[in-house]
């Protein structure tokens, strides 16, 4: 019913910026809360940022002031603007949608910030 496709990952030097995009297919995107998760090697997957269907946002402490999540309902797309990137931000970033009964996940996009 819903497919999520992330894009925008890559390699960037510390202090640089990237903008991740998550394009959603389906007709009920507007009802879903959306989130960006990340998972670094050997670590738990963590919620980085979330945005509700009403536009309320939340961030994990480590990215506050640096990352911004937003969504464009007309384009069925959620974004994660990442500024002042640090090596600790290196991870696979996953788009998530909270469906009515289950969560939907993208396949991930890799962000690498070398030391």
């Amino acid at each position: 019913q819903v497919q999520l496709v992330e894009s925008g990952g890559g390699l960037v030097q510390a202090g640089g910026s990237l903008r991740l995009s998550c394009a959603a297919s389906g007709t009920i995107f507007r009802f879903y809360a959306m989130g960006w998760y990340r998972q670094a090697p050997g670590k738990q997957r963590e919620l980085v940022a979330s945005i509700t269907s009403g536009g309320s946002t939340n961030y994990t402490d480590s990215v506050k002031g640096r990352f911004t999540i937003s969504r464009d309902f007309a384009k069925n797309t959620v974004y994660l603007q990442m500024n002042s990137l640090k090596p600790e931000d290196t991870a696979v970033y996953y788009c998530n949608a909270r469906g009515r009964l289950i969560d939907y996940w993208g396949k991930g996009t890799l962000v690498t910030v070398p030391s």
Side-chain angles (χ1 to χ4, degrees), residues 1-39:
Q1 184 177 141
V2 175
Q3 294 185 57
L4 305 174
V5 180
E6 304 98 332
S7 62
L11 189 150
V12 64
Q13 298 298 313
S17 298
L18 283 175
R19 187 195 194 202
L20 306 183
S21 297
C22 173
S25 63
T27 61
I28 56 175
F29 169 81
R30 58 193 168 96
F31 297 125
Y32 294 165
M34 304 291 295
W36 285 98
Y37 288 73
R38 67 185 180 188
Q39 187 166 25

Side-chain angles (χ1 to χ4, degrees), residues 46-48 58-66:
E46 65 172 340
L47 177 63
V48 177
N58 195 35
Y59 302 90
T60 191
D61 286 344
S62 63
V63 309
K64 287 180 179 177
R66 300 189 297 121

Side-chain angles (χ1 to χ4, degrees), residues 39-92:
Q39 187 166 25
K43 297 184 179 180
Q44 288 185 295
R45 184 174 297 189
E46 65 172 340
L47 177 63
V48 177
S50 62
I51 185 166
T52 69
S53 59
S56 297
T57 60
N58 195 35
Y59 302 90
T60 191
D61 286 344
S62 63
V63 309
K64 287 180 179 177
R66 300 189 297 121
F67 290 10
T68 302
I69 188 171
S70 61
R71 67 193 298 170
D72 186 329
F73 289 98
K75 295 181 178 180
N76 286 356
T77 301
V78 62
Y79 305 95
L80 185 67
Q81 178 67 47
M82 305 185 294
N83 299 324
S84 302
L85 283 161
K86 305 175 180 179
E88 64 195 60
D89 297 318
T90 295
V92 177

